[in-house]
Amino acid sequence: MTTQTTSDPARGRRPAATLTHAGGTLLRAGRPHRILSGSLHYFRVHPDQWADRLARLAALGLNTVDTYVPWNFHERTPGDVRFDGWRDLDRFARLAQQTGLDVIVRPGPYICAEWDNGGLPAWLTGAPGMRPRTSHPPFLAAVARWFDQLIPRIAALQAGRGGPVVAVQIENEYGSYGDDGQYVRWVRDALTARGVTELLYTADGPTELMLDAGAVEGELAAATFGSRPEQAARLLRSRRPEEPFFCAEFWNGWFDHWGEKHHVRPARGAADDVGRILGAGGSVSLYMAHGGTNFGLWAGANHDGDRLQPTVTSYDSDAPVAEHGALTDKFHALREELTAAGQPVPDGPPPADPPLLPPAELPVIHGAALLDALCTVAEPVSAPAPLSFEELGQASGLVLYAAEPLLPEGEFEVSVTGLHDRAQVFVDGVPVAVLDRETASCRVRGAGRRVRLELLVENQGRINYGPLLGQGKGILGGVRVDRRLVHGWRMHRLPLDEWSPDELARAVSLAPPDGRAGFATARLTVTEPADTFVALPGFGKGFCWINGRLLGRYWHIGPQTTLYLPAPFLHPGDNTLTVLELERLGDRIALRDRPELGEPQEYIETFD
């Protein structure tokens, strides 16, 4: 038997890990072993539901759970690092251990995960001259400070110290991003220098280009894919013949973008591919085993080269365990496949689906009108030119830009450059256009006087994958009337996900309603809290809170038309649903007893 060691003589040999490998076989404490893992992100599941969801993974027949660690979730502002409440990684790992599961931790610092900015803090990537995911010294210095806080906690949870952590991932799919090998090796060394002694591995797409840039000599190279497992196994074994085959992410489902269809993958096809991974002697992690929800404004975005593709609030991902914990057909198909492969599953029937509130219709009361409320809720910041979110010290939400240009009589073109991501344009309080391209324009009519020009700009999610990672938000260029730049701006900061319940309640009552757009509330009375799904028929686009906690975005273009409201967000008696509607108010909120995630479209992998 050989144990995993570093290839750098100057760093010496690491202590023996719980998981090792020899001759292409994965070993646990010297005996052949197979990782049967599933991804479950503690930051996407209410802490009161962690134990239940972990139990469902164990009932599936898995022996391991893996999770990313999003830096921006733990350090929203520089220096304020939190590991309490929803951010209690230690508690999550110990609950997994009590459930009988090993834990794999994926600390990044970049995680992708369809999470805002790929987990990197906006205050970091927005710093002038920052070069994320490279050996740029200011970036490494920031990662080192974060790792000083994070990695000793993970090290203390390692199996060698009596904890559940048996493996730690180095960065994340770096080979699809860049080729700074010095940086990836630096991340590896930063982990070991802070106490990581368990199995280290990299995870990259199964192509030569990606593996060459992402793998680290001396550490296990794993692959991420959703099909053709034999092809991935051949590629890995051609390059690392002494290493075991490990699919670090098997995409048994997929995520969704606003304005597209809901991605699904047939249960039988996913189970068959898992069987083929096992048949090839491989280990596997299901991505996702339980997806959870992008509560608040944590959903990220992709970019197809032409336009932004914001990710929806649900992260159900067509996973074996649904967003609200229900066990799907895919759960049962995968459980059968694992059983057929000789994996023991817990005795007795799997857990029952969580209870749900009965359907209901809730009348809404219209609150403060949109612009009047947003102009009043935050004191303006003045500047000659529009400031970006980063310059305003704001990570997410809305910014209301206001100026008073002189418009002679006639029709003029108002154009915006560097728009990220979506602007509603108002002239004297009247909506005239919606702009959603980086360079976009609309026609307005002047009246021979100064007009009130307002642009309500929404950050729809920071890009989490690819070369545009870290891109700024807001108006990054300027606003012109025909050829002339507009100067003299007032900007109202509206970080919706940072508002306290009292601040939200104040915003609702700041101005009279106008019946078109703005705030609205509804009362939800429950005897015993249970899960439910919130639908907003007749509404257009906006944000929904329950008892001051931001559930997430909604948008009539779909695919999802319900927001998951977990029972822990409710209390017996009266609860308050609050909506900030940007376009058109409805007159009721509906509670549904099932999720409505949109018209399904089978996900087809396009990896080459």
XYZ file of all heavy atoms in Angstrom, residues 75 120 124 191 200 554 561 607:
71
model
N -17.880 36.128 4.354
C -17.213 37.426 4.562
C -17.836 38.456 3.621
O -17.261 38.845 2.616
C -15.706 37.303 4.325
C -14.926 38.542 4.750
C -13.419 38.401 4.611
O -12.950 37.365 4.075
O -12.693 39.325 5.020
N -16.594 34.329 -4.900
C -15.609 35.357 -4.568
C -16.327 36.634 -4.131
O -17.330 37.024 -4.731
C -14.705 35.651 -5.764
C -13.863 34.481 -6.273
C -13.100 34.888 -7.531
C -12.899 33.995 -5.198
N -13.740 42.148 -3.306
C -12.407 41.741 -3.743
C -12.262 41.870 -5.253
O -11.337 42.529 -5.744
C -12.136 40.304 -3.315
C -10.825 39.685 -3.820
C -9.626 40.425 -3.237
C -10.765 38.203 -3.496
N -3.341 25.005 1.499
C -4.161 24.049 2.254
C -3.292 23.224 3.202
O -3.612 23.080 4.392
C -4.906 23.131 1.293
C -5.937 23.790 0.361
C -6.458 22.776 -0.656
C -7.089 24.396 1.142
N -6.132 15.084 -1.014
C -6.335 16.281 -1.825
C -6.577 15.853 -3.263
O -5.991 14.870 -3.747
C -5.116 17.196 -1.762
C -4.885 17.951 -0.446
C -3.542 18.673 -0.486
C -6.020 18.930 -0.180
N -38.536 36.716 -8.338
C -39.519 36.071 -9.203
C -39.566 36.860 -10.499
O -39.155 38.031 -10.563
C -40.902 36.004 -8.537
C -41.522 37.358 -8.294
C -42.301 37.994 -9.274
C -41.334 38.033 -7.092
C -42.864 39.246 -9.067
C -41.889 39.281 -6.865
C -42.646 39.885 -7.864
O -43.191 41.129 -7.658
N -42.318 29.439 -11.579
C -43.396 30.371 -11.245
C -43.776 30.299 -9.773
O -44.694 30.986 -9.340
C -44.638 30.106 -12.108
O -45.050 28.749 -11.944
C -44.341 30.361 -13.574
N -20.283 18.801 -23.522
C -18.841 18.749 -23.274
C -18.141 18.050 -24.437
O -18.544 16.976 -24.868
C -18.569 17.964 -21.994
C -17.799 18.725 -20.961
C -17.514 18.134 -19.748
C -17.352 20.014 -21.176
C -16.815 18.802 -18.761
C -16.654 20.700 -20.208
C -16.386 20.099 -19.005
